Amino acid sequence: MAFDALDEHEQGELVRKWLRDNGSSIIIGVALGLLLIFGYQQWRSHQARHQAEAAVQYDALGKAVQAKDAAAVAKGYELLKSDYSDTAYAVFGAMRQAESALGNGDKSGALAAASWAYEHSGSDALKTLAGLRLARLKLGEGDAQAALDLVGKLPTAGFGAMLDELRGDALRSQGKAAEARSAYQAALQALDPAAPNRSALEMKLNDIAAAAEKKNS
């Protein structure tokens, strides 16, 4: 018999019987649903607090960098790395630590911090930013091939011009002028005409052209 064919009393009886048979399951289901909602809200709240705390620590580290307080920078970096390694602030903190260490002549410390940033970057954009910093440090250490290998693995992530310029720098240091010129030209094509570093890139191209002209004269 169809439910809508029953009279009002019969429908009520069916509903009451169904509730008696299934009431426990409904109560348990509602309770579990409320627990899941509460748990998710608690997790969201914890994540928000965690991110806010990481932001405060990173801000303090940035001030220490500006004050050229290497000890405070290192302390802030270690705190971000130990307690907030799952946040982007820890990655940015590692890059600032690399900057501070390099400024104080600690090349191995700079490489270690930049490597940590690269290894713990989550998004493509962060991975590329950290990778560019690490590749420049490797190039500065005279390891142009390691810099090239790293640049070749990085996602473009909107940083095509920077990647091509660094590739050009590494190729130029290897004496590969023609390949370096191509990389610089690709970087120029990817750059906005009003980009502040455009003139520096054009100078690199002019230097290569002048060197080639001198060599052929």
Side-chain angles (χ1 to χ4, degrees):
M1 182 182 294
F3 185 79
D4 56 5
L6 299 174
D7 63 29
E8 192 172 312
H9 175 72
E10 291 171 321
Q11 290 178 12
E13 283 300 314
L14 280 176
V15 169
R16 282 190 286 275
K17 181 178 185 305
W18 187 87
L19 286 173
R20 283 196 301 272
D21 294 342
N22 299 278
S24 297
S25 299
I26 292 171
I27 292 169
I28 292 171
V30 169
L32 286 174
L34 289 173
L35 281 173
L36 286 172
I37 292 169
F38 178 75
Y40 176 70
Q41 290 175 338
Q42 288 292 98
W43 177 81
R44 286 283 300 271
S45 178
H46 169 74
Q47 287 295 103
R49 285 196 305 273
H50 187 65
Q51 291 286 338
E53 290 167 1
V56 169
Q57 295 300 329
Y58 176 73
D59 183 61
L61 185 150
K63 290 175 181 175
V65 170
Q66 291 177 350
K68 300 187 185 305
D69 188 342
V73 174
K75 183 178 179 181
Y77 162 55
E78 289 300 328
L79 180 61
L80 282 168
K81 190 169 66 166
S82 63
D83 294 357
Y84 305 97
S85 61
D86 58 333
T87 71
Y89 294 106
V91 175
F92 288 129
M95 288 192 276
R96 299 303 297 271
Q97 165 64 7
E99 174 190 337
S100 175
L102 187 63
N104 286 284
D106 182 7
K107 293 181 180 180
S108 61
L111 277 167
S115 295
W116 191 93
Y118 175 69
E119 290 164 5
H120 290 80
S121 297
S123 68
D124 283 353
L126 268 183
K127 179 71 74 176
T128 301
L129 276 174
L132 280 164
R133 176 64 58 87
L134 180 57
R136 287 211 171 277
L137 287 170
K138 288 181 180 294
L139 181 57
E141 287 290 282
D143 197 346
Q145 191 56 52
L148 281 171
D149 292 342
L150 180 54
V151 167
K153 294 190 296 185
L154 295 176
T156 301
F159 298 101
M162 294 175 71
L163 290 167
D164 283 327
E165 182 177 2
L166 183 50
R167 185 179 292 110
D169 291 343
L171 289 165
R172 186 179 179 184
S173 75
Q174 291 180 327
K176 300 175 180 177
E179 292 177 59
R181 184 188 300 112
S182 296
Y184 288 147
Q185 287 170 339
L188 270 176
Q189 289 176 357
L191 269 184
D192 187 280
N197 59 324
R198 190 175 184 87
S199 59
L201 193 50
E202 288 171 341
M203 285 178 64
K204 290 180 181 181
L205 267 172
N206 292 337
D207 287 346
I208 288 180
E213 195 174 307
K214 184 177 179 181
K215 184 178 178 181
N216 295 328
S217 62

